Amino acid sequence: MQVYIMRHGDAALQAASDAARALTQKGRDDSALMAQWLNKRNPVIDNVLVSPYLRAQQTLQVVRENLSLPMQAEVMEMLTPGGNATFVADHIRDLAVTGANAVLVVSHLPLVGYLVSELCPHEAPPMFITSSIACIEIDVVHHKAHLDWMLSPSQLFSMNQ
């Protein structure tokens, strides 16, 4: 099973609360670029997990416009910046055991980095810039997982030059 872990797009600094921070145009553009790139790889994503925070919800909306995703997304309180990576990783492993093909997770720093380390204990938490995506391959049979790749909008942009 593949797990695509995405940090939300660039968000405005000013808002009534951290949870209410909205995407900037750069955040929308970068998230669309990443979704279009991923779409070319034809992933069959059958589960979506997303933070309840506005910027993560808006990132998912932009991704949905550029990538085929299931209609329903599971909104998880544990996917907020201070969420519990162990809880989320266990939930992802449960999805893998029940036959999920691929999962998209849209969340925040520092959780996204901790989630990579939780799924792949040999990996240090990577630094995610906004709209970055990491792909983890989970081998359910052998109880293993490895970080397959990680890509940011700036890396993608430089590859296309």
Side-chain angles (χ1 to χ4, degrees), residues 51-98:
S51 161
Y53 285 17
L54 179 61
R55 60 192 178 273
Q57 295 284 325
Q58 289 176 329
T59 298
L60 177 57
Q61 180 183 0
V62 171
V63 169
R64 190 178 294 284
E65 292 166 5
N66 294 279
L67 179 66
S68 178
L69 294 174
M71 289 303 297
Q72 296 290 3
E74 184 178 348
V75 179
M76 294 181 70
E77 280 297 325
M78 289 293 180
L79 286 174
T80 56
N84 185 323
T86 303
F87 178 90
V88 176
D90 286 345
H91 184 61
I92 290 169
R93 287 186 198 102
D94 288 346
L95 291 171
V97 168
T98 59

Side-chain angles (χ1 to χ4, degrees), residues 21-77:
R21 290 175 51 211
L23 284 186
T24 63
Q25 189 58 51
K26 177 182 175 12
R28 291 182 182 286
D29 294 345
D30 286 351
S31 297
L33 179 72
M34 296 302 291
Q36 290 161 7
W37 179 85
L38 188 56
N39 189 51
K40 291 176 186 168
R41 275 126 198 93
N42 299 311
V44 182
I45 297 170
D46 44 21
N47 288 275
V48 177
L49 310 177
V50 64
S51 161
Y53 285 17
L54 179 61
R55 60 192 178 273
Q57 295 284 325
Q58 289 176 329
T59 298
L60 177 57
Q61 180 183 0
V62 171
V63 169
R64 190 178 294 284
E65 292 166 5
N66 294 279
L67 179 66
S68 178
L69 294 174
M71 289 303 297
Q72 296 290 3
E74 184 178 348
V75 179
M76 294 181 70
E77 280 297 325

